[in-house]
Amino acid sequence: MSATGRVAAVCRRGVEGLATLLVRDPPVPGAAVRALSREVRALPGVREARVRTAGTPARPRLLLTVRCADPAGLYAALENGPVAACRRTAKMPELPVIINFEMNL
């Protein structure tokens, strides 16, 4: 099996004794995540953007934190621009993206 087609996972004991599966190769392509971060930072009024992958391989999601002075109108710009482009790039049209706005006054 090639290195690019391999998913490396490790099982460990969770806090309550349940096994937790840690996946090292995320199901969302890294290029899509990096492009999302870059495109969000380029939007007017955005001071900082962080993107993190979460979820499971079967149900991935992205956590997007946007620091800005005023989020009014920014949600629509995110959803119709960088977030839609990320979903297309990842070939995951239903990919959940949770957006957290941090006000920086």
Side-chain angles (χ1 to χ4, degrees):
M1 183 180 292
S2 71
T4 56
R6 179 176 48 107
V7 174
V10 176
C11 278
R12 69 174 184 183
R13 300 296 283 177
V15 175
E16 297 174 8
L18 301 173
T20 304
L21 183 66
L22 302 176
V23 179
R24 291 180 52 203
D25 294 337
V28 180
V33 173
R34 287 187 298 276
L36 175 61
S37 179
R38 185 176 53 250
E39 291 173 17
V40 171
R41 284 193 312 267
L43 290 174
V46 174
R47 297 176 190 217
E48 183 182 347
R50 294 183 309 262
V51 182
R52 193 171 60 110
T53 59
T56 65
R59 297 180 66 175
R61 67 179 185 262
L62 296 179
L63 306 174
L64 171 60
T65 302
V66 179
R67 180 171 290 168
C68 58
D70 183 15
L74 196 52
Y75 179 81
L78 289 168
E79 185 64 33
N80 297 323
V83 171
C86 179
R87 288 178 175 137
R88 281 191 306 274
T89 301
K91 297 182 176 138
M92 302 173 91
E94 301 299 319
L95 177 66
V97 178
I98 299 163
I99 303 172
N100 179 39
F101 291 100
E102 291 181 356
M103 302 286 285
N104 188 4
L105 303 174

